[in-house]
Amino acid sequence: MSFYEVLVFIHIFSAILGMGPGFMMILVVSKSSNLTELRHSYAIRNRLHIFTMIGGTLLLISGLLMGAIHTNLFQQGWYVTSLVLFLVALAFGPLLLSPRSKPIKKLLKEARGEDIPVGYGALAKKLFFVERMENIIFLVIIALMILKPF
């Protein structure tokens, strides 16, 4: 097995490790029926996020190393487009996701009782919209990696 083939293996494994849990993050919190369940769901979600960060980092590193080994990849439209889309999705974290998740964290921390706070639904809707957009970007990237259309 060549070094490049090892990188391909790491890249595919990282996609499963990083993107798989990322696609489930909305589902984990969307079925909570009370505040205790919702808090627990967000705790699970935070643990899943660790896998997405590790997998995403390995994806970027292995993808760039494969490009460094086979520099012609940087002339392939699917590769460059995938890389740009990945960087856009990466920017979602600090620019779009964090500002939408901080009010939810604060609301859940300050809430009392077992009822889900009234304002949670609107905040979650905004967060989940951005997450769905990010998931669509990742699905496009996966399609580009498989099909290599241009």
Side-chain angles (χ1 to χ4, degrees):
M1 194 180 234
S2 69
F3 181 63
Y4 186 83
E5 291 170 330
V6 170
L7 286 175
V8 170
F9 174 82
I10 290 170
H11 196 71
I12 294 169
F13 195 78
S14 299
I16 295 165
L17 175 71
M19 292 195 184
F23 288 122
M24 295 293 112
M25 291 177 82
I26 295 172
L27 184 64
V28 168
V29 296
S30 64
K31 300 298 179 190
S32 301
S33 61
N34 61 49
L35 188 58
T36 300
E37 287 179 7
L38 190 60
R39 284 179 175 146
H40 183 68
S41 297
Y42 271 93
I44 292 170
R45 181 182 159 95
N46 287 338
R47 288 188 207 128
L48 289 174
H49 186 64
I50 293 169
F51 286 99
T52 63
M53 289 189 311
I54 293 169
T57 301
L58 287 173
L59 271 171
L60 183 60
I61 292 169
S62 60
L64 289 172
L65 285 173
M66 287 187 289
I69 291 170
H70 292 288
T71 55
N72 65 323
L73 285 174
F74 288 102
Q75 298 169 352
Q76 303 294 315
W78 64 268
Y79 180 85
V80 174
T81 303
S82 296
L83 184 58
V84 169
L85 287 174
F86 190 86
L87 294 174
V88 167
L90 195 61
F92 271 38
L95 298 177
L96 299 173
L97 294 171
S98 183
R100 285 165 178 76
S101 64
K102 284 180 184 177
I104 292 173
K105 290 177 184 178
K106 182 180 180 201
L107 186 70
L108 295 179
K109 184 178 180 183
E110 294 173 353
R112 299 290 174 246
E114 279 302 307
D115 293 333
I116 296 174
V118 176
Y120 169 76
L123 293 172
K125 187 176 179 178
K126 291 176 185 176
L127 174 65
F128 296 164
F129 175 77
V130 174
E131 287 183 358
R132 285 184 183 100
M133 296 306 296
E134 188 170 43
N135 286 343
I136 290 169
I137 290 172
F138 286 134
L139 288 172
V140 169
I141 293 170
I142 291 168
L144 288 170
M145 292 284 158
I146 294 168
L147 300 173
K148 299 173 178 58
F150 53 94

